[in-house]
């Protein structure tokens, strides 16, 4: 029973139409599911991914009218996006042309990297993917296939104290601590943990930053990160494991497109474990994903009410 990598990452936007424009037009991702937050149906839940909507490529957003995030520790502080090693000049130029805050291509933790922020200030890092890594380009993307984003990872969290987080990562979640590097912002060390076969799609980077203030979640911030398991029965096994380890958790939660459970690591960051199955094509044809509002069966009877409360995205 092992986590195999990053499943998805969910962030917060206060501008759903602008969010859709940026992630599809500038980053070239595919909108693969337009649905609502199942716990707050007044808010969109938008999912962007690769051409085949594969787990490990999902970058998702809750549309909440929130103030901007206050940055600090106790947070998921940077979202990694994997690209080919020959794509950094392309992306440096593209992000610069879009007027975004960005750094310069360089090397971090032994890989080529480029930091940037989206229009609401969410912090990203383009990271060199493993040589020969498989990708599934989206044919309708404005980004050429060879330069498209492969998927998520690594993900960086900020905590004030490593020891309690390390215990949960290594003892409860069975991650392996493999190396350290200096934080590029000069704020402490970053400790690298891997799961499954390892590599950038299966790494969690833990920045230890006791000198930072406590973050306040908001637009441009991250809500939670999810880790992959292959199927729904694995979620039940993980719920039992966490209970045995006395880690408070949600128990199994049916999200229709995957099954999940949620818990917080000691640094306060919300983690999810999510199944790869059944995926986003469970209620839409693969070639029509994201074109209309999708609702899980238990919300379908409220469709008219839900649609009336949502603003147009285009």
């Amino acid at each position: 029973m092992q986590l195999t990598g990053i499943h998805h990452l969910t962030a917060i936007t206060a501008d759903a139409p602008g969010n859709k424009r940026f992630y599809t037009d500038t980053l070239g991702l595919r909108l693969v599911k337009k649905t609502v937050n199942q716990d707050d149906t007044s808010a969109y839940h938008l999912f962007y991914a690769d051409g085949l909507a594969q787990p490990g490529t999902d970058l998702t957003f809750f549309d909440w009218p929130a103030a901007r995030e206050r940055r600090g520790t106790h947070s998921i502080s940077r979202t990694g996006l994997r690209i080919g090693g020959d794509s950094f000049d392309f992306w440096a130029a593209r992000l610069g042309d879009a007027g975004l805050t960005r750094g310069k291509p360089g090397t971090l933790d032994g890989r080529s990297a480029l930091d940037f922020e989206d229009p609401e200030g969410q912090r990203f890092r383009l990271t060199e993917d493993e040589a020969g890594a498989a990708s599934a380009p989206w044919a309708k993307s404005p980004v050429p296939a060879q330069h498209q984003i492969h998927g998520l990872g690594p993900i960086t969290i900020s905590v004030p104290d490593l020891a309690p987080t390390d215990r949960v990562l290594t003892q409860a979640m069975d991650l392996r601590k493999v190396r350290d590097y200096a934080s590029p912002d000069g704020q402490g060390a970053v400790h690298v943990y891997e799961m499954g076969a390892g590599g950038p799609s299966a790494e969690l980077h833990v920045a230890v930053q006791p000198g930072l203030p406590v973050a306040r979640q908001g637009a441009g911030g991250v809500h939670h990160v999810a880790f992959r398991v292959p199927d729904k029965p694995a979620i039940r096994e993980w719920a039992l494991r966490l209970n045995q380890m006395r880690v408070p958790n949600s128990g199994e939660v049916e999200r229709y497109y995957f099954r999940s459970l949620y818990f917080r690591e000691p640094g306060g960051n919300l983690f999810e474990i999510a199944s790869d199955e059944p995926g986003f094509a469970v209620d839409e044809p693969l070639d029509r994903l994201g074109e209309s509002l999708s609702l899980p069966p238990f919300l379908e009877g409220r469709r008219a009410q839900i649609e009336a409360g949502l603003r147009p995205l285009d």
Side-chain angles (χ1 to χ4, degrees):
M1 189 174 76
Q2 192 173 63
L3 303 173
T4 59
I6 307 299
H7 187 281
H8 68 266
L9 179 135
T10 296
I12 300 168
T13 178
D15 177 16
N19 181 272
K20 178 177 179 288
R21 286 192 300 272
F22 176 74
Y23 285 92
T24 57
D25 294 350
T26 302
L27 291 194
L29 297 171
R30 182 183 183 189
L31 178 64
V32 297
K33 192 62 61 178
K34 179 169 63 174
T35 185
V36 294
N37 183 320
Q38 294 179 10
D39 303 313
D40 174 13
T41 58
S42 69
Y44 279 114
H45 192 179
L46 304 176
F47 291 76
Y48 306 97
D50 69 3
L52 295 178
Q54 298 180 105
T57 72
D58 306 332
L59 181 60
T60 95
F61 289 86
F62 295 145
D63 172 34
W64 285 331
R68 287 287 181 96
E69 175 199 34
R70 182 179 68 196
R71 294 177 178 178
T73 192
H74 298 286
S75 68
I76 300 168
S77 55
R78 193 169 291 274
T79 303
L81 299 174
R82 293 173 284 115
I83 60 173
D86 60 350
S87 293
F88 283 87
D89 289 342
F90 171 87
W91 279 103
R94 186 174 182 84
L95 297 171
D97 290 345
L100 298 172
T101 299
R102 62 171 176 84
K104 295 181 179 179
T107 301
L108 183 68
D109 188 32
R111 301 179 182 125
S112 297
L114 172 62
D115 291 352
F116 73 97
E117 298 178 11
D118 82 353
E120 293 182 285
Q122 185 175 342
R123 289 168 286 177
F124 287 91
R125 175 168 294 139
L126 294 173
T127 298
E128 182 180 359
D129 206 354
E130 294 180 303
S135 63
W138 178 36
K140 297 180 182 179
S141 175
V143 174
Q146 72 184 87
H147 297 308
Q148 286 183 34
I149 291 166
H150 295 178
L152 290 166
I155 304 300
T156 304
I157 67 173
S158 174
V159 299
D161 181 14
L162 180 63
T165 295
D166 176 88
R167 284 194 293 271
V168 168
L169 296 181
T170 58
Q171 297 177 26
M173 298 174 66
D174 201 26
L175 271 62
R176 307 177 298 275
K177 186 172 184 291
V178 292
R179 61 184 182 275
D180 308 319
Y181 63 91
S183 176
D185 60 10
Q187 297 286 338
V190 181
H191 306 270
V192 179
Y193 295 79
E194 67 178 14
M195 62 205 90
S201 66
E203 289 179 359
L204 182 70
H205 292 200
V206 182
V208 181
Q209 300 172 315
L212 296 183
V214 176
R216 182 185 63 212
Q217 212 165 63
V222 175
H223 188 269
H224 66 268
V225 60
F227 305 97
R228 296 176 65 177
V229 293
D231 51 36
K232 289 184 175 184
I235 298 297
R236 180 164 300 174
E237 294 177 7
W238 273 98
L240 291 172
R241 178 181 175 89
L242 293 178
N243 288 337
Q244 291 168 354
M245 301 289 291
R246 298 185 179 180
V247 177
N249 66 88
S250 66
E252 295 181 76
V253 180
E254 182 57 64
R255 294 303 191 193
Y256 188 52
Y257 306 111
F258 42 82
R259 186 170 292 170
S260 299
L261 66 82
Y262 301 84
F263 62 99
R264 289 192 183 274
E265 57 85 22
N269 293 297
L270 183 61
F271 286 174
E272 177 182 357
I273 298 175
S275 65
D276 285 355
E277 64 174 26
F280 294 121
V282 68
D283 62 351
E284 294 181 298
L286 184 62
D287 62 350
R288 302 292 298 276
L289 292 179
E291 294 183 8
S292 59
L293 182 69
S294 294
L295 296 175
F298 71 89
L299 290 177
E300 192 59 52
R302 297 169 52 195
R303 175 174 287 274
Q305 173 193 354
I306 290 170
E307 287 183 333
L310 297 172
R311 54 180 169 166
L313 283 179
D314 298 308

